[in-house]
Amino acid sequence: MPTRTSNKRGQLNSRETHRRQALEDTESPLHEAFLDEVADIYNAEQQLIKALPRMAKAAQSEELRDAFEAHLGETEQQAQRIKEAIDSLGESLKRKKCKGMEGLIDEGKEMMEEYKGDPAIDAVLIAAAQKIEHYEIASYGTICTWAEQMGHSQALRLFKENLGEEKAADEKLTGIAETFANVEAQEQQ
Ligand code: FE
Ligand code: ZN
Ligand code: FE
């Protein structure tokens, strides 16, 4: 059962009163689900912070390596924003293992090993990275919708920033993938 901070008589403690003043609805049935989703994406970001340096190292082109390194920096900031968003609600971050991200990273690792030294390695890395970005986009999309519905405006602003970075990272990877296609087409002419 979700924990409520108001007692049975509906009296509010001071923290709750403060939230009410901010027009936030922490008693929404979505609030607990929201905290679970946030815990999931926080853990996903932590897993990615560990995986991105390996992906950067495996990349053959400088452009892709730079893109992974730049996204590592963003990912570290995203984790900080998640903490800030949770703080803004007077909540604490739950511990959760993101099995989705674990699976995506595992699959990427397998492909990285299989394509080691292969000219397709960068294309394979981009494929894995874009699946990861899309997972994150889905999570932040849901989290933003729920934050908006509950009036968690400060949290919403922070999660929107993360969502924007994930979308930009995904588009950047598409751009790099298209460059490879062009180079190969030119080589074949
Ligand atoms: Fe991220
Ligand atoms: Zn997850
Ligand atoms: Fe990302």
Side-chain angles (χ1 to χ4, degrees):
M1 271 297 286
T3 48
R4 303 269 160 103
T5 46
S6 58
N7 66 24
K8 277 180 190 160
R9 290 190 183 120
Q11 288 169 335
L12 303 169
N13 64 30
S14 63
R15 205 173 68 172
E16 190 67 17
T17 308
H18 183 76
R19 283 185 203 145
R20 286 295 174 84
Q21 282 165 354
L23 293 172
E24 290 193 11
D25 184 7
T26 50
E27 293 200 12
S28 161
L30 277 181
H31 191 68
E32 211 55 35
F34 171 79
L35 294 176
D36 282 328
E37 277 302 321
V38 171
D40 184 87
I41 193 70
Y42 181 77
N43 179 261
E45 298 291 14
Q46 294 300 327
Q47 291 186 48
L48 203 49
I49 287 169
K50 287 187 196 146
L52 277 167
R54 273 199 307 270
M55 293 168 78
K57 215 176 151 194
Q60 241 154 33
S61 82
E62 207 183 322
E63 197 184 7
L64 185 57
R65 200 182 322 127
D66 288 350
F68 285 147
E69 279 165 5
H71 199 53
L72 173 62
E74 286 176 337
T75 303
E76 284 164 345
Q77 283 183 19
Q78 288 168 6
Q80 283 310 310
R81 284 190 206 109
I82 296 171
K83 280 192 191 164
E84 227 183 285
I86 288 296
D87 279 353
S88 80
L89 299 171
E91 297 283 0
S92 51
L93 207 48
K94 292 187 184 187
R95 279 184 176 274
K96 198 181 170 187
K97 176 98 174 189
C98 177
K99 290 180 187 167
M101 184 59 76
E102 190 177 38
L104 290 169
I105 289 174
D106 265 5
E107 203 173 276
K109 237 191 238 171
E110 245 175 57
M111 292 293 276
M112 261 162 64
E113 280 159 22
E114 213 171 307
Y115 282 82
K116 203 174 175 181
D118 191 288
I121 184 68
D122 281 7
V124 163
L125 283 167
I126 289 174
Q130 286 196 291
K131 286 178 191 173
I132 288 170
E133 293 313 316
H134 280 247
Y135 182 93
E136 293 182 299
I137 289 165
S139 292
Y140 284 124
T142 297
I143 286 168
C144 285
T145 301
W146 290 357
E148 187 158 25
Q149 284 170 355
M150 291 183 289
H152 298 335
S153 54
Q154 203 182 336
L156 176 62
R157 183 183 53 78
L158 291 158
F159 286 124
K160 266 189 179 167
E161 252 184 274
N162 286 7
L163 177 59
E165 282 180 356
E166 311 299 21
K167 283 182 178 169
D170 179 56
E171 278 164 27
K172 194 172 173 183
L173 290 168
T174 298
I176 298 173
E178 283 168 358
T179 323
F180 294 156
N182 289 341
V183 170
E184 271 178 40
Q186 280 162 15
E187 279 170 356
Q188 278 163 15
Q189 272 171 14

